[in-house]
Amino acid sequence: MTQTPIDLRSAPCRIGIVSISDRATSGTYEDLGLPALKDWLTGCLQSPFEIVTRLIPDERTQIEQTLMSLVDQHHCHLVLTTGGTGPSRRDVTPEATLAVATREMPGFGEQMRQISLKFVPTAILSRQVAVIRETPDHAALILNLPGQPKSIKETLEGLRDTTGVSVVPGIFAAIPYCIDLIGGPYIETNPIICQAFRPKSAIKTTSISS
């Protein structure tokens, strides 16, 4: 008897994207982080998703409140921030992220710096972190990304050689399985952009991929 594929499209992944910049918030220049993240997610994700956007200044209290709201009230499964992760006094995104965390996920920050080091030695100045925030009935992964659109893409996708073979994995390859483990919806990706990795036992047959 043929097994009926599981239709998981009724549970879209809700993704919060937050651009943190004093100058973009004040209108000094146009924010590029939110459009870059929207475009990348639209091209990569093949399962249903919803996006909640925020543009806020480099103010620690406001960053903390925004992250808590996206997880606790809007029930985002994934929150991606861009900006505010350097060593300057106004760069407080990592501190705000850690302040709302239940658990840290240090591997993401380590890999982001490894990717950036392929291009610039100043990648070691980045303080990007990743954490889990849990409430009694919900959990979300929160990640700090770089501020530049090119760096955002490289960090999420990873690096490929001239033949298209992956040489440095991007961090998004691990995100769908992480969302599985914390009780979120099943996320499928476009393998041409980013192949999501799961153990064989965690791979599901869905009507999207059938």
Side-chain angles (χ1 to χ4, degrees):
M1 183 174 65
T2 303
Q3 184 179 7
T4 302
I6 302 169
D7 187 354
L8 298 169
R9 290 177 291 183
S10 60
C13 181
R14 180 165 291 184
I15 303 173
I17 56 176
V18 185
S19 183
I20 300 164
S21 169
D22 288 331
R23 288 181 292 175
T25 304
S26 66
T28 303
Y29 65 68
E30 182 182 3
D31 173 67
L32 300 178
L34 294 178
L37 277 170
K38 283 183 181 178
D39 289 347
W40 191 89
L41 290 167
T42 299
C44 180
L45 299 186
Q46 293 190 324
S47 48
F49 67 98
E50 302 168 353
I51 291 179
V52 182
T53 63
R54 296 289 185 271
L55 174 60
I56 59 176
D58 289 283
E59 297 290 347
R60 177 169 170 174
T61 299
Q62 190 166 348
I63 298 169
E64 291 178 19
Q65 292 173 345
T66 298
L67 297 179
M68 289 188 290
S69 174
L70 288 171
V71 177
D72 302 359
Q73 278 77 53
H74 293 274
H75 297 102
C76 290
H77 306 96
L78 172 66
V79 177
L80 303 173
T81 74
T82 173
T85 60
S88 77
R89 292 188 179 186
R90 294 292 294 171
D91 290 332
V92 293
T93 302
E95 285 77 15
T97 303
L98 292 170
V100 304
T102 307
R103 288 179 288 169
E104 293 185 50
M105 301 291 288
F108 284 104
E110 294 165 4
Q111 183 64 9
M112 284 190 274
R113 283 179 280 277
Q114 285 300 311
I115 293 170
S116 297
L117 277 168
K118 299 291 182 180
F119 299 97
V120 291
T122 51
I124 60 175
L125 301 180
S126 170
R127 301 184 303 113
Q128 295 152 331
V129 300
V131 304
I132 302 291
R133 176 172 174 80
E134 296 169 312
T135 67
D137 59 355
H138 184 68
L141 173 65
I142 305 175
L143 283 157
N144 302 154
L145 296 175
Q148 298 300 317
K150 180 176 181 291
S151 299
I152 290 172
K153 181 176 184 293
E154 291 164 350
T155 297
L156 294 170
E157 280 186 34
L159 308 177
R160 301 175 186 268
D161 63 19
T162 55
T163 66
V165 176
S166 175
V167 291
V168 181
I171 63 165
F172 205 88
I175 287 177
Y177 186 49
C178 182
I179 301 298
D180 293 349
L181 294 174
I182 62 175
Y186 193 84
I187 300 172
E188 293 190 290
T189 62
N190 181 346
I192 296 175
I193 296 176
C194 177
Q195 176 68 63
F197 178 83
R198 288 180 171 94
K200 289 183 179 179
S201 61
I203 297 174
K204 300 178 181 179
T205 302
T206 72
S207 59
I208 298 171
S209 59
S210 60

